Amino acid sequence: MLFRVKLVFAGVLFAALPGFTYRASGQALMIRAADTFQGDDAEKESSSADSRDAASIAEPYDHATKLVRPIDPAERTGPFSSVRIGVKADTLGAGLELSTPLSRHFGLRAGGNIFSFNYRFNIDGVDYNSRFNLRSGSANLDWFPGRGGFRIGMGVLYFNNTLSAISGVPPGNYFELGSQGFVNSVDDPLHGTAGVDFSRHVAPMVSVAYNLIGKRESSRITMPLELGVAYTGPAKIYVTLDGTACVSDGCFTFAENQEAQQSLQDEIKKLNNNLSSYPVYPIFSIGVTYRLGRR
């Protein structure tokens, strides 16, 4: 009986032994695989650490390089970081101008013009001894598309130019008003006044400019040449005449003769029709500017 029990126990043990052996070998393989993966991860971590150490060593040198790199003056441009003052001569008169940057590509500019001069001219035999009074002020927003000293400006012009004149005809001379011809009296020659009015005093304007000297806006001294127009509306002229004029039928007092006054109105209408073709005022200027402070 005892022998049979031992025999059964030996059979069971013999049957279970291969399973234990297989599981043990599997566990050994798993342990070796885990060790291998851990080794790879450790190697990657070591490589990463080395890279971080190299980056951390190089970083101070990169910062140092950035600190010593020269900075372009255009990159330092800020709102009102400098002021430029200039003098100019143009079709609006002699003027002063101030400008300042708003950013790298935009700036503000404001100025004023004042000038007076006398000018004599003749139209259809009538002399005009005129005096021009040029008075204006402007404010512009400038755009600098590049760094070559070229700009485009848009702004507003306060326009108060006037022309006043003494009109007259030399004694005994022939002159025309409208389509009618007259001869001026010698004893009581014609005399009167004339003037020009502009339809508006505030006008939009646009201009372009290029620096003949100082190609960059960061230059200390520049010489801008500017071209532009301001929409002032057409000017209107008025003329008054008094005195004695003569035609083939005889002489008469000009201010009291209806036909003579109609001829004068026809002449004024003709002049204003010519002026209506010019609703804009041309702007042509050249000047010199000096920059105060750093850009």
Side-chain angles (χ1 to χ4, degrees):
M1 182 65 179
L2 179 61
F3 175 76
R4 290 181 181 179
V5 172
K6 289 180 179 181
L7 184 59
V8 172
F9 179 75
V12 172
L13 181 62
F14 180 77
L17 184 58
F20 289 131
T21 304
Y22 178 77
R23 285 195 295 271
S25 62
Q27 289 177 356
L29 289 174
M30 292 176 64
I31 291 171
R32 283 198 299 272
D35 291 340
T36 302
F37 292 146
Q38 288 177 357
D40 290 343
D41 291 342
E43 184 178 353
K44 290 180 182 178
E45 280 187 297
S46 175
S47 176
S48 254
D50 292 341
S51 299
R52 286 195 298 271
D53 291 342
S56 64
I57 292 171
E59 187 175 0
Y61 294 97
D62 292 339
H63 287 314
T65 303
K66 292 177 182 177
L67 288 175
V68 299
R69 181 177 63 84
I71 300 175
D72 191 328
E75 296 178 3
R76 296 198 300 263
T77 301
F80 311 105
S81 59
S82 66
V83 175
R84 189 178 289 276
I85 184 171
V87 294
K88 63 178 182 176
D90 61 21
T91 51
L92 291 167
L96 291 174
E97 199 168 67
L98 293 174
S99 61
T100 185
L102 292 178
S103 66
R104 183 176 175 181
H105 292 290
F106 290 93
L108 280 178
R109 181 165 48 96
N113 300 276
I114 183 170
F115 194 66
S116 297
F117 64 97
N118 296 327
Y119 180 68
R120 294 178 63 92
F121 59 95
N122 182 285
I123 300 177
D124 293 336
V126 180
D127 291 334
Y128 298 92
N129 185 11
S130 63
R131 181 171 180 81
F132 286 87
N133 296 303
L134 307 180
R135 307 284 189 273
S136 63
S138 62
N140 292 270
L141 175 65
D142 293 327
W143 175 47
F144 300 88
R147 300 182 184 179
F150 175 77
R151 73 167 185 251
I152 300 174
M154 297 186 66
V156 177
L157 176 70
Y158 173 73
F159 191 79
N160 195 28
N161 289 0
T162 61
L163 181 150
S164 58
I166 297 174
S167 57
V169 179
N173 281 18
Y174 174 83
F175 65 98
E176 291 182 358
L177 295 174
S179 58
Q180 179 66 45
F182 302 90
V183 175
N184 194 18
S185 170
V186 175
D187 298 329
D188 183 22
L190 290 176
H191 58 280
T193 60
V196 172
D197 288 331
F198 291 89
S199 60
R200 60 176 67 195
H201 292 295
V202 178
M205 63 183 296
V206 61
S207 65
V208 295
Y210 182 74
N211 291 341
L212 301 178
I213 297 176
K215 303 300 183 182
R216 298 169 65 92
E217 277 302 307
S218 58
S219 302
R220 182 70 66 178
I221 296 176
T222 65
M223 180 180 286
L225 175 68
E226 184 176 17
L227 298 173
V229 292
Y231 185 76
T232 58
K236 293 187 178 298
I237 191 170
Y238 64 88
V239 181
T240 64
L241 288 173
D242 196 9
T244 301
C246 302
V247 292
S248 58
D249 295 339
C251 298
F252 54 85
T253 301
F254 198 89
E256 297 176 357
N257 187 281
Q258 185 175 357
E259 292 183 0
Q261 288 298 312
Q262 184 60 50
S263 297
L264 177 60
Q265 295 304 315
D266 291 343
E267 179 72 9
I268 293 173
K269 183 178 180 180
K270 181 178 72 173
L271 294 175
N272 285 331
N273 286 338
N274 292 334
L275 290 175
S276 65
S277 301
Y278 305 96
V280 297
Y281 191 92
I283 298 171
F284 174 80
S285 76
I286 187 169
V288 176
T289 72
Y290 182 80
R291 179 174 56 83
L292 303 174
R294 71 175 181 85
R295 182 172 170 82

